[in-house]
Amino acid sequence: MPSIAFCIFGQLRDEHLSFPQTARIARELGATVFLSTWRRRGTKAAGAAYPSQLIRMFGAEVAFAVPRPMQARFHVLLPELAPRLEDGSREASEDELRRYFPEAVIDLEDERLHLDFEEATVDRNSLRMLYKAWRCNALKRAEETRRGRRFDMVVRFRPDVVPPAPGALPPVKELERALYLLAGGWRPGHAQDQLTVCSSRAADITAALFGQAVLSVDRPWRGVHAELHDQVLRTGLEVRGLQLGQGIVEDFARRHPRNRAILLEELHRQPPGAEAAGGADWGRLTAILEAATAVADGRLAAAEAALDTVARTDPPLILLECLVSVAADTARARGRPEEAAALLLIRLLAGLVLDGPGLARVGEFMKNVPRFVEVARTLPAIPPLRRGALGEWITAQLPGGAAASAWAALCRHAPEPALDDAFDALRPAVEQSAEYREARFWQALRDGRWDDARLEVEALRELGAEGWRVSNLLSLYHRERGELALAREAAQLAVAERPELWDLRTRLARIEALRGDRAAALAQTGAAMERGGDSHTWMLHAQLLHDEGEREALQRHTEEAWRRFPDDAVLREGLPQLLGGEAPSPG
């Protein structure tokens, strides 16, 4: 059995959500755990503020409404924001951590060191993070010295990441020639810092980036992702991608209301007429982000009033992008998916007009494509992706509404050639996305157009979609057609490729149940729950226990389900019916 080191580094954030699974995986692998962290727990409040980070801090409604030119300089423009967001974090103790990892080497440190760059940077937290990665690696090296040999594999990750399940880790022999990062985390000039799987030697090299960082007083610091990219190159290894079942595990939503309130307070401290970034003024931007907060809080009328006030000022394209993003969230909350889809298209087009067609290759911006597709997939047909056709569709389907006003504003600000170029860049980006092909698959499946559904699966395969994704859709296709043997075969292929994804196991369990093999179905729901299954998985497991007549097991399962999901509507409605009684009080 290979010797494996888990090097967990950085500030603790909701580790009660990730560490139980991390501990289970460590036990299964026989891994030695090294943990270097700060005594004070934290929250994601520093670093560059691109949509993925902003979602964690404030929620999607606010995240997608922050102007793109402001994202890289978010904490530079609002220097008091991060300290206020981080204030009040409670402390961790070694006893708490040993409940998860009894035999771990734990380094729990008070924050007595000055670990900030002298100059303002977009990733002000990275020096602290690199210090902890280096320190955790030093604990690993000390153990290797004591043992007289290196670990065969090092899995280095942050506390809020659940590492790959045993079956998803690469063979040790591959680490002689390759280093593994989170899938999608490697591109020219960029390497992610969430997860690394590599040899012990490669771990030493990448951890040494802390030494480069402390020399930043003598040379410019280009940001942690660019610097880490170059450090990974120094290993001389091929870089490969590795999938995670859950990725980051953090209770973001619990902190969102407080964080949004603090953000608005900081925004109101800025001079309203001054420029924030990229031509966006603080006054109108604050009004838009107040509207986004109102949507998140369910105050839709207040959001609509604020957006209407800004729209009457004929904002520039950079603010129109932000405004229609919030308007789309409002329309969706109002149950108007056609309007939401049109507004999200307008948001994408405004960005492409403003920055040029090359923006279609920027991953953070193109996260707006899945937003559009998620809404559009519920419509009878996806809105057209050509200028004339989209204008006619909006006029016919959405006369006089927010989408019509936004479309008129876009056409007023964007020259026709630039708008045509934007459509030409957006159309292939959308049509070649996995989300778009899956949306068309679901539409075809919903309408009973079996041949079209199968063609969409093949289109996904041709686009290079992962095998498990294709197998999963094939299993759904065969299940809807009543071809349960073929559905089971495809679902098993998907699970075999990505055993850590609980939702694949839940779908396989449903197929097994339809086939009448409740024992096999229970095995799959049990494995899914171990890997973070949602309340629907727990409800399916309960139903299977009930059908098997396992009354005592059902009672124990129900008690645990209430502890995990005390306010869940699915369980509150379904479990009492199985037990023949009323639902217990939450908690």
Side-chain angles (χ1 to χ4, degrees), residues 231-538:
Q231 194 72 8
V232 169
L233 289 179
R234 292 186 180 100
T235 67
L237 298 172
E238 175 189 350
V239 179
R240 299 175 185 171
L242 192 66
Q243 297 286 351
L244 278 182
Q246 289 185 261
I248 295 175
V249 181
E250 190 174 352
D251 187 4
F252 311 127
R254 176 172 57 85
R255 289 185 287 270
H256 286 166
R258 173 182 177 271
N259 287 357
R260 287 192 292 259
I262 293 173
L263 172 63
L264 292 180
E265 289 174 7
E266 289 299 315
L267 289 170
H268 278 292
R269 293 172 60 183
Q270 311 306 316
E275 180 178 324
D281 59 274
W282 284 113
R284 286 183 288 187
L285 174 59
T286 299
I288 291 170
L289 293 179
E290 283 183 322
T293 295
V295 175
D297 294 342
R299 297 180 288 109
L300 302 183
E304 289 164 337
L307 293 174
D308 184 63
T309 299
V310 176
R312 291 175 185 275
T313 69
D314 194 23
L317 280 177
I318 188 64
L319 285 175
L320 182 65
E321 266 193 87
C322 306
L323 185 148
V324 297
S325 178
V326 181
D329 288 330
T330 308
R332 191 173 183 185
R334 289 284 195 196
R336 300 195 293 260
E338 293 90 351
E339 186 173 68
L343 287 163
L344 288 169
L345 268 183
I346 292 168
R347 189 264 163 81
L348 283 158
L349 291 164
L352 289 163
V353 167
L354 195 61
D355 283 17
L359 190 61
R361 295 189 294 273
V362 177
E364 288 290 344
F365 175 72
M366 295 309 287
K367 287 179 179 176
N368 287 285
V369 169
R371 291 180 74 205
F372 160 68
V373 172
E374 185 179 356
V375 177
R377 69 189 298 172
T378 66
L379 306 178
I382 292 175
L385 299 174
R386 295 184 184 277
R387 179 167 59 86
L390 180 61
E392 293 173 2
W393 185 83
I394 290 174
T395 300
Q397 300 290 328
L398 306 165
S405 298
W407 176 249
L410 176 63
C411 293
R412 190 164 58 248
H413 285 284
E416 285 189 5
L419 193 51
D420 286 335
D421 288 345
F423 271 102
D424 289 343
L426 180 61
R427 193 162 46 251
V430 171
E431 293 178 352
Q432 294 175 19
S433 69
E435 293 84 4
Y436 178 80
R437 306 316 307 195
E438 285 193 28
R440 288 175 59 90
F441 165 82
W442 282 107
Q443 287 181 333
L445 204 65
R446 185 176 60 211
D447 298 341
R449 294 182 283 111
W450 309 117
D451 290 344
D452 290 345
R454 187 61 185 256
L455 285 173
E456 293 302 333
V457 175
E458 295 307 316
L460 263 174
R461 197 194 304 273
E462 291 175 9
L463 286 171
E466 303 99 323
W468 69 268
R469 191 183 297 274
V470 173
S471 296
N472 180 47
L473 294 185
L474 279 175
S475 75
L476 295 167
Y477 168 83
H478 289 302
R479 190 183 77 180
E480 291 299 308
R481 288 169 59 90
E483 300 164 346
L484 296 183
L486 292 172
R488 178 174 183 262
E489 180 182 346
Q492 286 176 328
L493 286 173
V495 168
E497 185 172 340
R498 295 297 303 279
E500 74 280 12
L501 293 183
W502 61 262
D503 53 336
L504 298 182
R505 291 182 177 275
T506 301
R507 287 170 186 157
L508 176 55
R510 294 188 186 281
I511 294 169
E512 297 286 20
L514 288 171
R515 293 178 65 250
D517 191 344
R518 286 197 292 266
L522 280 166
Q524 291 300 330
T525 52
M529 290 187 299
E530 287 181 355
R531 291 161 173 80
D534 65 2
S535 61
H536 293 275
T537 303
W538 282 71

Side-chain angles (χ1 to χ4, degrees), residues 155-179:
V155 185
R156 185 167 63 221
F157 54 98
R158 299 185 333 207
D160 56 356
V161 170
V162 175
L169 287 170
V172 167
K173 64 179 181 180
E174 292 299 312
L175 303 183
E176 298 173 3
R177 62 179 67 91
L179 176 148

Side-chain angles (χ1 to χ4, degrees), residues 130 179 181 185-192 202 205-210 212 219-237 239:
L130 292 172
L179 176 148
L181 299 178
W186 178 257
R187 57 181 181 270
H190 179 99
Q192 59 80 29
I205 295 173
T206 52
L209 180 57
F210 174 64
Q212 300 292 323
R219 66 175 183 84
W221 177 253
R222 296 177 298 123
V224 66
H225 298 296
E227 299 280 357
L228 184 58
H229 174 274
D230 291 356
Q231 194 72 8
V232 169
L233 289 179
R234 292 186 180 100
T235 67
L237 298 172
V239 179

